[in-house]
Amino acid sequence: MKLKILSLLQIAAVTTLSAQGTRQWTQSRYDEFERGKPSGVAIRSDGSLLPAPSTRLVFTSDGNYLWTTAVDAAGNTYLGSGALSGGTAAVLKIDGQGKSEKIFETKEMAIQAVRVAANGKLYAATSPDGKIYRIDGPGQSSVVLDTTTLAEKPKYLWDIALSPKGDIYVATGAPAAVYKLTPGGKPELLLRSGDQHIRCLLLGPDGTLYAGSDGAGVIYRIKPGEKPFAIYDAPRHEITALALGADGMLYAAGVGDKRTPNLPPLPVQGNQAVSVTILPGSANAASSNTLIPEGSEIYQIAPDGTPRRLLTLREDVIYALTMRSGQLLIATGNRGRIYATNPAVPGVFTDIAHLDASQGMAFAPTATGVYIATSNSGRLFRLEDKPAVSNTYLSDVFDAGIFSQWGRIELRGSQAAELYLRSGNVENPEINWTDWTKVTPNTKPSTLISARYAQWKAVLSPDSKIDSVTLNYLPKNLAPMVDDLVVQGGARMNPQPAAQGQTVQITFPRASANPGFVIPQDPNPPLIAQKDKNSITARWTSHDDNGDNLMYSIYYRGDNETTWRLLKDQINEKYYSWDAAQLPDGGYTLRVVASDAPSHNPGETLTGERVSERFEVDTTPPVPGQLTATMANNQIHALLEATDATSAIDHAEYSLDAGPWQYLEPAGKLSDSPTEHYDFTLPVTGSAAEHTLAVRIYDRFENVATAKTVIRSAGR
């Protein structure tokens, strides 16, 4: 048989391990609950749903960025913006009814910080080439500090902190420094850092000032009358926020890769746009000597200086921190999430609000809640200390993959929650799904209409807690499919690996016989078989939409026959090899039948099949006629005719006196028929009176026959 020898590659078997039967769609982990849509529902990182604090939208600005916020004793909220619709940055005043008033505007690009002093005075800091303004009312402002007058002439003014005595502490960048400005006095340099920027400040009740840097991610402590001291070198590039607990614990947020600065530059003069730090989240490393991807970390530093990593957020960038009733609140981007964490339980946090904005930028605490300024878009939200009135959670849409029967829903947690279900056959629930149906969990089956998609909704009471929700379903059994089938002659699959150089590769000549159909997770790698001209190997690909285990049977049928005959059944692999001699010479087709019987009860099984292209079996060599030869004038003239019963003669070769084999051309030159005639003349050298001529004839399946004759000179 003819061998098609191709390159040497390895085979990776793809098997299906799952089986048909009742299945479960379960949501119990944080990442699973995060795919849904909470409204007044909090999601704990250890995997549960709880009622969340009330969150409401207070104000929407006409700009895209609100950088900072503060609240005065009268309950008015102040917002520092980037460029608004008029092209200038501004300070906006929002009263208790949500009415806004622009009380200050400037040609600088951004209001980087607004702070309310103990005496009720309002201060605003701008960047770049910044100034600090005291705002006494609408249109009434005065410059308290112009950074261009400082000896170092810092480019950026990032943050300010106000003391009860009226001192102003200033954080600058390029160069990084901290200044103290006393009423009526000159600026005093408190700290000069080798970093790029001092990004945030926090003034403790005892007068201790904390500063976080960008570049090396260092936290500095500046006590009155003492030399500044670096209390922590964080494993992150930038310290974005600081908060102080009632027990004296300091909390700091770090973002960015330590080795690659991620802080985007503020716009230069003339560019009327302001950029915000937007960092993609991912996993984090544990050491400052390790390359740390994006995301954020929170560090806790005890009063004695002992640091520890409190929390890691892999997908969020932290912009603001504040303490509230013993909880640390965290404002993040770029998904607009607000988290809360109990410092006494490291590593656990709760997603308490999803803001309709990309970045939560700043907090402003009040007696009964916290204001949150956001960017993309510029809005003001209020997070109340009381729970939300409505606590509803909408799960993501579940795709069973195929038409399914929906069964009982199981709830683990508080039974006070109400559950609802709906189903449909398109991915979008708003396109003609069923109405919501209230179901009783853990007791009786649901009444959902059979469909491909399903979704659940939970309504929580104040005491509700959901740990997991499981929906049982039974996919409708679908017949398996044999996607492709090829037959390779001259190849055999053996339990033992084939020796190097003795292999044949069985590949599929096309991606699939069904154009446009993609076999999932099955790249159809080459199958490596042992070269064996007396064997045939069939190979196929298949899939089952239910994920059932499959078993195969293989049948054959000869040309002009109508009956399929079983060659082999109960095949587990996706290939089969057999001796070519099992089939008489001739043309055949194969049929492979896939059955999902291993995963179903008898009588419930389904099958799918595919028929191969026609192939030929030829194990019989050609039959040569009489090889005749005569010698005269130092030339041998030979004649031979050969016939093959099944296939055409492929080629012939001759050897004279045991010499090398040489190609022999048939009469007519083309070797394309079952019978070929050879008429050829060979020169003879030397004086030998006797010569031996041998001719080998091959058919297209490399079956070979040999003819031989002895030629003697005349008179011998």
Side-chain angles (χ1 to χ4, degrees), residues 578-628:
W578 71 96
D579 291 336
Q582 289 181 245
L583 302 179
D585 290 358
Y588 294 89
T589 51
L590 288 184
R591 182 178 65 154
V592 170
V593 178
S595 170
D596 59 10
S599 298
H600 292 275
N601 295 324
E604 298 179 356
T605 62
L606 297 175
T607 61
E609 63 182 53
R610 182 167 290 278
V611 176
S612 74
E613 296 179 359
R614 181 183 181 277
F615 66 97
E616 291 184 349
V617 174
D618 184 356
T619 59
T620 305
V623 177
Q626 181 67 35
L627 175 60
T628 61

Side-chain angles (χ1 to χ4, degrees), residues 150-164:
L150 298 175
E152 290 81 0
K153 291 181 170 54
K155 182 70 175 177
Y156 303 105
L157 198 164
W158 290 111
D159 199 5
I160 59 174
L162 308 180
S163 76

